């Protein structure tokens, strides 16, 4: 996305002629990434080409969420969630960069040094030089360690899952008692991404395996023809957000390697696309990339980090947050609208607490009315 935006911006500034050379290094030219692959309606509004590309996305209109104690809600979404195979999505974005004028080189950069204002890059297949370096690799990239320092162990979620060769039209999410993470089944166009994530330091691999096995068994997902994946995704602590480094002299970070991922949900695709776009604009306009990120969503994601443990392990009105959330979705139309806003991305973390507490009397009234109506319907006729 950075390469595409840079080429377009340079072309506009120079009457259609690009004045810079942009090279994208990608060893696999599109590969499957161990994640759900979901994009919210907010992201699709921002990048409609992602939904319009034929055969790329699988639009999902139905979602099932389960909490401890078997509380379950089935949602008919107001707007679709789009689910992607990362192999297809990555290849598609590389093709867009090429069409915009960037060069795509099949190589992996494994080392870098800075001499004066030039970067000397060592790849597996060759050596290169660059004036400016943008790292868009995985969160554990050693290139990040050289530039901005390594993340701490507690800044990650551990994932475990399978690519299951089945098709389904329902997105599933399940929460667990006192567990900072969730299990999922995301239906891509030709297979399912079924997995679980848990906060490093709180969840161990054996625990993930056990919970995932229960989740898959409950819904009849077979691993007989499935392929296994495991990966770390960023889920930065508040302290790490406070000291986040996104750029320096002649370099910048975008996507997972920057840590710009929703610490509650693990959503990263939208923030990867948007951070790349903000960086390109900053390079073209000579403005601060870090400030753009912080103003648009950095402070909100830091707030998400503050809420993360409370959401997964906290209590609300005497029960777990996820359980109460599902109960209110089933019994209060107003709360269901709020929850749909969260799914679509139109309700940020900032302002969420205020909206919840201002609307709580209405939620409770609607829930009580719904419960009373249900009881009256179930009473035998006299």
């Amino acid at each position: 996305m950075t390469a595409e935006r840079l080429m377009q911006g340079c072309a506009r500034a120079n009457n259609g002629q690009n004045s810079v050379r942009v090279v994208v290094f990608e060893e696999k030219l599109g590969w499957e990434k161990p994640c759900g692959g979901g994009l919210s309606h907010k992201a699709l509004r921002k990048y409609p080409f992602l939904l319009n590309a034929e055969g790329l996305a699988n639009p999902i209109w139905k979602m099932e969420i389960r909490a401890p104690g078997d509380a379950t809600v089935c949602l008919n979404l107001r707007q679709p969630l789009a689910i992607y195979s990362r192999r297809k999505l990555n290849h598609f974005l590389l093709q867009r960069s090429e069409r915009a004028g960037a060069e795509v080189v099949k190589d992996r950069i494994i080392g870098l040094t800075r001499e004066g204002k030039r970067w000397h890059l060592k790849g597996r297949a060759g050596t290169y030089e660059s004036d400016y370096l943008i790292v868009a690799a995985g969160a554990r990239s050693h290139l990040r360690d050289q530039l901005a320092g390594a993340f701490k162990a507690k800044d990650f979620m551990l994932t475990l899952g399978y690519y299951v060769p089945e098709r389904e039209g329902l997105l599933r999410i399940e929460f667990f008692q006192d567990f900072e993470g969730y299990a999922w089944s995301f239906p891509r166009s030709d297979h399912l991404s079924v997995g679980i994530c848990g906060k490093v330091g709180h969840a161990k691999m054996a625990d993930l395996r056990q919970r995932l096995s229960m989740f898959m068994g409950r819904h009849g997902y077979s691993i007989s023809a499935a392929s296994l994946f495991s990966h770390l995704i960023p889920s930065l602590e508040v302290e790490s957000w406070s000291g986040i480094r996104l750029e320096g002299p002649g370099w910048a970070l975008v996507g997972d390697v920057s840590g710009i991922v929703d610490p509650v949900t693990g959503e990263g695709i939208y923030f990867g696309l948007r951070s790349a776009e903000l960086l390109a604009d900053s390079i073209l306009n000579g403005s601060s990339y870090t400030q753009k990120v912080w103003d648009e969503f950095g402070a909100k994601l830091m707030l998400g980090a503050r809420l993360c443990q409370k959401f997964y392990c906290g209590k609300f009105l005497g029960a777990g947050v996820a359980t109460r959330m599902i109960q209110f979705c089933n019994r209060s139309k107003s709360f269901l609208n709020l929850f749909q806003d969260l799914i679509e991305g139109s309700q940020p973390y900032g302002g969420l607490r205020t909206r919840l507490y201002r609307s709580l009397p209405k939620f409770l009234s609607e829930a009580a009315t719904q419960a009373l109506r249900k009881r009256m319907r179930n009473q035998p006729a006299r």
Side-chain angles (χ1 to χ4, degrees), residues 10 22-23 50 58 64 70 81 95 107 129 147 150 199 207 211 223 237-238 240 270 283 294 304 309 336 347:
C10 290
V22 177
V23 180
L50 291 175
N58 187 25
E64 178 185 275
D70 294 333
L81 290 167
Q95 288 181 321
D107 199 358
E129 291 188 9
L147 297 169
K199 189 74 169 179
D207 187 24
R211 294 179 189 274
I223 64 172
E237 298 283 295
V238 174
S240 297
Y270 169 74
I283 293 172
W294 196 255
Q309 189 175 30
L336 181 60
Q347 173 60 61

Side-chain angles (χ1 to χ4, degrees), residues 75-119:
L75 303 175
N76 292 310
L77 301 177
R78 299 179 309 203
Q79 300 291 343
L81 290 167
I83 313 299
Y84 296 85
S85 160
R86 292 304 301 272
R87 177 179 59 82
K88 293 181 179 180
L89 178 60
N90 293 349
H91 186 65
F92 174 75
L93 294 174
L94 282 173
Q95 288 181 321
R96 284 181 62 94
S97 294
E98 283 188 300
R99 287 196 296 270
E103 301 174 45
V104 176
V105 175
K106 187 177 180 180
D107 199 358
R108 180 176 183 175
I109 303 302
I110 57 176
L112 56 88
T113 56
R114 177 85 161 167
E115 295 183 11
K117 294 185 177 182
R118 298 282 289 176
W119 289 102

Side-chain angles (χ1 to χ4, degrees), residues 137-206:
R140 299 185 69 192
S141 170
H142 71 281
L143 300 181
R144 180 208 151 78
D145 298 351
Q146 288 184 245
L147 297 169
F151 289 126
K152 300 175 183 177
K154 62 182 181 179
D155 286 323
F156 290 100
M157 275 193 168
L158 176 62
T159 70
L160 172 71
Y162 296 89
Y163 302 124
V164 179
E166 299 177 14
R167 294 190 178 186
E168 190 174 49
L170 179 68
L171 187 153
R172 301 180 192 271
I173 297 290
E174 181 169 341
F175 300 105
F176 304 93
Q177 187 73 36
D178 297 323
F179 179 80
E180 197 168 337
Y182 61 93
W184 74 80
S185 173
F186 276 35
R188 298 174 175 181
S189 58
D190 56 0
H191 68 276
L192 305 178
S193 170
V194 183
I196 188 170
C197 61
K199 189 74 169 179
V200 171
H202 296 272
K204 297 182 179 180
M205 183 60 75

Side-chain angles (χ1 to χ4, degrees), residues 28-46:
K28 299 178 182 178
L29 302 182
W31 53 284
E32 198 56 82
K33 184 177 179 181
C35 72
L39 272 177
S40 66
H41 185 63
K42 172 187 69 176
L44 299 176
R45 288 199 309 269
K46 184 69 176 176

